[in-house]
Amino acid sequence: MAKQIVTDPETGEKRCRCFKRCGGCQLDEPYADQLRRKQEKAQRMLSEFAPVRPILAMDSPYAYRCKVQNLYAADGRGRILSGVYQSASRRMTAVDDCMLEDRHAAPIVSTLKKLMHDLRIPPFDLRTGTGVLRHTLIRTSPATGQIMLVLVTASPLLPAKNRLTGALRKAHPELTTIVQNICPDGLPLTLGPRSITLFGDGHIEDIICGCRFRISPASFYQVNPAQTEKLYTCAVDAAGLADRDFVIDAYCGTGTIGILCAKRGADVAGVELNRAACRDAVENARLNGLKNIRFCNEDAGHFMRRLAGEHTHCDVLMMDPPRAGASAEFLRSAEKLRPDRIVYVSCGIETLQRDLKQLCRSGYRAVFVQPVDMFPHTTGIENVVLLKRAGKAPEKGTAAR
Ligand code: SAH
């Protein structure tokens, strides 16, 4: 059988034969061309606000994904296949290997397929609504070596649970925790509200920029650790923090950016809608020995409106919304709160452009745009933008930085 991933012996560039079928990669061109394409897009869409710095590239743009999700299906002969979800057709495409994923994931998936066959654990069939295993999520941390396998099932029923767990641990001693998550309905690849730990702590820990972060199955966490270090360093440096500055970390996930700010002496309030992520954030503050940070489990727009209503003084607003960008309520409240600096971390360039227009209308000017290549071989571009309140003299901590 022809190899799925082919490496060019001269350049070291890899290409995947599943490119068209899978959809996980969207750019099938040399990495230098991808970077040029992304730089041009950032320039085209964001240079009206501020100078766009050269994109921060990866040294080796492969095997970076530390979050790996797989679907399962049985073929006509009862063999178990794994693959990815084609959103357009609502069907699974069988894929065995992936040049973007951490190399620890594929062998675990391969063992699981064999065990599903041997222990008669049927994959869940989206069309008929029958079967057991909907999908799996594997999270790895290169920094701590911890690996979490989440088995997402349609109901609490998981046949041969103990034998499955035992066999997985035996074949993969590198697995540090195995969790069953129950997701009765919802879109493919989502997690349900209930998790049962089958082995280990039920979460993993990662280290980014010298801080330790616990990650639970349902929490958002960046997928590319090498680039996340660059992204966070750029964002926290941009904030130009002085001791005791008050920082809001909006859309804080597991508290990462806020915790890095608190580590530099700022007083921080984080806000996050996802309950599991917010719980992780509280634990992460404790793990890093920080008392100058607190978290609210609520909608970021409501939180901002409340603080604006109380006339809270805010030095820096760090904001890292999902692809849909910030809500109108959030942006209106930011305008009222009048933080001295805003650091906008964005994974959606269209909504970033929209929100920057709004922020610039409400008295901010952008100082720089820093694109970061978080997702090589895809069209995604992450950007960090520093904004300052226009017409304001530099104050404590902001001068000469
Ligand atoms: N800054 C974090 C998370 C960024 S992803 C990190 O770098 O890891 C965006 C986060 O916003 C997710 O954790 C998501 O759960 C959260 N979120 C989505 N909508 C939200 C809302 N309306 N209010 C607060 N948080 C929200």
Side-chain angles (χ1 to χ4, degrees):
M1 210 168 75
K3 269 184 83 170
Q4 186 191 313
I5 296 166
V6 186
T7 307
D8 183 315
E10 270 168 38
T11 62
E13 301 257 0
K14 294 181 196 292
R15 294 188 68 178
C16 177
R17 291 187 203 272
C18 284
F19 176 73
K20 284 217 177 80
R21 275 195 294 124
C22 163
C25 294
Q26 293 121 28
L27 302 175
D28 186 24
E29 60 191 0
Y31 190 46
D33 294 346
Q34 296 179 23
L35 292 168
R36 207 169 305 123
R37 178 194 291 274
K38 291 184 186 189
Q39 185 75 35
E40 278 168 14
K41 183 162 184 190
Q43 212 96 33
R44 199 168 56 244
M45 295 191 65
L46 303 173
S47 61
E48 64 174 292
F49 302 105
V52 179
R53 293 178 176 174
I55 189 165
L56 297 176
M58 281 197 88
D59 295 336
S60 170
Y62 304 106
Y64 63 80
R65 277 196 69 95
C66 287
K67 176 187 179 187
V68 173
Q69 287 173 290
N70 277 100
L71 289 169
Y72 298 85
D75 71 2
R77 286 170 292 158
R79 243 184 351 147
I80 308 287
L81 308 174
S82 61
V84 294
Y85 177 65
Q86 293 277 295
S87 53
S89 61
R90 284 183 68 88
R91 287 174 63 167
M92 189 190 99
T93 298
V95 181
D96 285 325
D97 200 1
C98 172
M99 63 186 196
L100 307 190
E101 293 172 359
D102 183 316
R103 307 312 293 164
H104 289 92
I108 296 171
V109 170
S110 169
T111 304
L112 180 62
K113 283 191 289 189
K114 185 171 178 311
L115 289 169
M116 286 169 73
H117 176 268
D118 294 352
L119 300 173
R120 296 179 197 281
I121 303 170
F124 184 78
D125 186 330
L126 273 177
R127 284 163 303 178
T128 60
T130 57
V132 173
L133 189 74
R134 277 181 172 271
H135 57 99
T136 55
L137 160 68
I138 298 174
R139 258 200 198 279
T140 63
S141 163
T144 62
Q146 297 182 14
I147 303 178
M148 169 166 67
L149 168 64
V150 184
L151 304 161
V152 184
T153 57
S155 80
L157 189 79
L158 176 55
K161 192 184 284 195
N162 294 341
R163 282 172 68 197
L164 176 68
T165 309
L168 281 165
R169 286 180 62 190
K170 188 156 178 244
H172 298 283
E174 69 277 17
L175 273 171
T176 49
T177 189
I178 303 176
V179 178
Q180 178 188 1
N181 176 271
I182 299 140
C183 185
D185 46 30
L187 296 168
L189 302 186
T190 53
L191 262 64
R194 194 170 150 218
S195 284
I196 302 166
T197 301
L198 303 178
F199 156 66
D201 294 337
H203 55 255
I204 58 165
E205 283 180 14
D206 187 34
I207 300 170
I208 296 272
C209 300
C211 286
R212 244 183 138 81
F213 299 108
R214 176 180 99 173
I215 317 160
S216 296
S219 298
F220 174 89
Y221 194 77
Q222 301 286 351
V223 302
N224 182 336
Q227 294 302 90
T228 301
E229 290 245 14
K230 295 180 194 167
L231 179 78
Y232 286 174
T233 303
C234 172
V236 178
D237 284 351
L241 295 174
D243 218 24
R244 306 242 74 95
D245 265 356
F246 179 63
V247 175
I248 294 173
D249 179 10
Y251 309 93
C252 70
T254 57
T256 44
I257 295 174
I259 284 174
L260 297 178
C261 294
K263 201 87 187 167
R264 293 202 190 179
D267 290 322
V268 183
V271 57
E272 166 60 46
L273 193 58
N274 179 297
R275 192 182 300 166
C278 197
R279 258 195 239 125
D280 283 346
V282 171
E283 175 58 20
N284 289 335
R286 201 192 59 78
L287 267 179
N288 292 285
L290 294 167
K291 295 222 157 62
N292 49 335
I293 183 163
R294 61 191 166 85
F295 295 96
C296 279
N297 182 203
E298 95 177 271
D299 170 75
H302 292 180
F303 175 84
M304 291 287 287
R305 193 180 56 193
R306 196 152 46 76
L307 264 63
E310 292 164 1
H311 304 288
T312 306
H313 171 82
C314 173
D315 296 291
V316 181
L317 169 61
M318 310 288 293
M319 54 186 287
D320 184 6
R323 207 167 298 166
S327 64
E329 181 184 41
F330 184 97
L331 293 172
R332 262 198 318 272
S333 306
E335 187 181 351
K336 288 204 188 106
L337 203 61
R338 292 163 56 86
D340 183 47
R341 288 147 277 159
I342 299 177
V343 179
Y344 195 139
V345 179
S346 155
C347 58
I349 196 164
E350 281 81 13
T351 52
L352 174 64
Q353 185 191 48
R354 179 199 72 197
D355 292 352
L356 286 179
K357 278 194 183 133
Q358 177 65 36
L359 289 167
C360 290
R361 271 199 298 269
S362 55
Y364 285 87
R365 69 180 170 83
V367 180
F368 71 79
V369 176
Q370 176 65 71
V372 183
D373 193 21
M374 297 289 278
F375 316 104
H377 308 284
T378 76
T379 50
I381 323 177
E382 193 93 5
N383 282 284
V384 178
V385 183
L386 168 66
L387 296 119
K388 286 194 175 175
R389 219 165 77 216
K392 190 170 179 294
E395 267 179 21
K396 56 161 193 163
T398 63
R401 272 172 194 263

